[in-house]
Amino acid sequence: MVSLGVKIAGLSLKTPLMAASGTFGYGGELLLAVGAENLGAIIVKGISLLPREGNPPPRLAETPCGLLNSIGLENVGVDRFIEEKLPFLRKHDVPVIVNILGDTANEYRDLAERLGSVDGIAGLEVNIGCPNVEAGGMSFGTAPAASALVTEAVRSVWPGFLMVKLTPNVTDITEIARAVEAAGADCLSLINTVRGMAVNVDTRKPRLKNVIGGLSGPAIKPIALRMVYETWRAVKIPVVGVGGITSALDALEFLIAGASAVQVGTANLVRPTAIREIAQGLRDYLASRDIPDINDLVGSLIL
Ligand SMILES: Cc1cc2nc3c(=O)[nH]c(=O)nc-3n(C[C@H](O)[C@H](O)[C@H](O)COP(=O)(O)O)c2cc1C
């Protein structure tokens, strides 16, 4: 028997595999395909104070080994999330982590306060990759001070599990990671999508109406892995790896490079059973190598 259980900043997960925000909807159908016993946590689609329509289509384009999206943070808003989505999600024996987004630090704080008033939420994941409307639209997550401001705003009203999700579209991710750690985050998740674009040479139009989108999938895995490794060495709080994980071997690379857990995103869109298969692959790996506990692998990279 091998153990896949992990504990991150006090939160116990049955497996180190979380469903990444935006790729698992609000948890409904995919949860059935994956099986609650294989899923460490569900991270729901980013929620804002008011509903958002997102960007106009086309907003998905496939690229070699990757997916470009410009969904633009479409969501039902916090009130409908609490009324319509949360009751289903909390019926299952899987921790629900709510991904939040806002235009200002105060909006993030108000959202966290509202979510703190209901039961059934195991933690928050703060997406700091959003435009900071008060600072000319530059993403919060590209500046250490703005990243810290959002983290502090949420921390001031949310005493529970607080994970901050970092954007890779920065020069030095460890600067941001350290600022967020000092501002009170319990753990970090990384990476969000990498800014990219694609052009249709027949029409000469961009493949995304929004022109620029976020790249995800296997194409970004080496970038994500490098950033997880750099961040793990720079901070004391746990790091959750995200980016291009489609197999147990991918997940193992992240764990060995320092991640305490991982998130699976785009792979869910390709194979709804991906997380189930990855969980089984991790059990097989441990059993075949006589490693009793997945935690033994975390940060075990041999240089
Ligand atoms: C269609 C789509 C929607 C996404 N929506 C969100 C979101 O609402 N909030 C967020 O923090 N990340 C969002 N992401 C980013 C993913 O959670 C993840 O960080 C990224 O896709 C990299 O992981 P992957 O390569 O496994 O997909 C989205 C990604 C995709 C593909």
Side-chain angles (χ1 to χ4, degrees):
M1 284 299 285
V2 294
S3 167
L4 288 190
V6 298
K7 198 166 181 184
I8 302 175
L11 183 65
S12 294
L13 310 179
K14 270 175 284 181
T15 77
L17 306 173
M18 307 180 183
S21 177
T23 62
F24 215 71
Y26 295 104
E29 305 77 4
L30 281 173
L31 184 56
L32 304 176
V34 166
E37 70 283 10
N38 296 308
L39 193 54
I42 295 181
I43 305 176
V44 296
K45 174 74 187 153
I47 301 289
S48 49
L49 273 179
L50 296 175
R52 294 196 187 196
E53 276 189 5
N55 290 318
R59 47 189 199 171
L60 285 179
E62 283 188 47
T63 61
C65 297
L67 176 69
L68 270 173
N69 92 82
S70 58
I71 303 290
L73 308 172
E74 174 185 345
N75 77 96
V76 297
V78 69
D79 290 333
R80 269 187 66 196
F81 170 74
I82 290 172
E83 280 155 34
E84 295 173 18
K85 310 293 180 185
L86 193 58
F88 171 83
L89 279 168
R90 66 178 159 215
K91 267 199 237 150
H92 303 273
D93 186 22
V94 178
V96 177
I97 296 176
V98 181
N99 182 285
I100 60 170
L101 63 106
D103 289 334
T104 65
N106 285 347
E107 262 185 51
Y108 281 94
R109 187 203 54 211
D110 293 350
L111 256 175
E113 204 164 26
R114 176 88 176 88
L115 291 164
S117 69
V118 295
D119 288 334
I121 297 174
L124 296 184
E125 179 178 61
V126 183
N127 177 3
I128 58 171
C130 309
N132 180 353
V133 166
E134 288 169 330
M138 209 178 85
S139 150
F140 287 99
T142 57
S147 303
L149 193 73
V150 172
T151 308
E152 276 163 13
V154 174
R155 181 86 290 174
S156 70
V157 296
W158 180 269
F161 179 85
L162 175 56
M163 174 155 74
V164 176
K165 184 166 182 183
L166 306 185
T167 165
N169 302 309
V170 295
T171 310
D172 179 2
I173 200 160
T174 63
E175 262 194 345
I176 313 284
R178 277 193 285 258
V180 166
E181 177 182 41
D186 291 320
C187 71
L188 304 170
S189 53
L190 58 140
I191 57 177
N192 213 316
T193 54
V194 178
R195 278 162 63 79
M197 71 180 273
V199 174
N200 179 331
V201 296
D202 292 323
T203 60
R204 298 199 205 167
K205 285 179 182 260
R207 288 197 182 270
L208 297 174
K209 183 80 177 168
N210 196 51
V211 185
I212 290 172
L215 183 64
S216 62
I220 69 169
K221 196 188 85 179
I223 301 172
L225 199 55
R226 184 263 296 177
M227 289 187 158
V228 162
Y229 175 66
E230 285 179 335
T231 303
W232 171 67
R233 293 196 340 161
V235 298
K236 296 197 171 59
I237 53 179
V239 174
V240 175
V242 200
I245 296 174
T246 66
S247 68
L249 296 183
D250 293 335
L252 286 162
E253 283 193 66
F254 278 87
L255 297 170
I256 292 168
S260 298
V262 296
Q263 299 178 12
V264 178
T266 302
N268 297 314
L269 307 177
V270 182
R271 286 190 339 271
T273 52
I275 291 178
R276 173 193 293 273
E277 290 154 22
I278 295 172
Q280 193 50 45
L282 291 180
R283 291 184 193 102
D284 293 345
Y285 176 92
L286 293 182
S288 69
R289 284 164 177 78
D290 286 330
I291 302 170
D293 186 340
I294 193 83
N295 292 288
D296 295 343
L297 289 173
V298 173
S300 64
L301 187 72
I302 297 169
L303 295 175

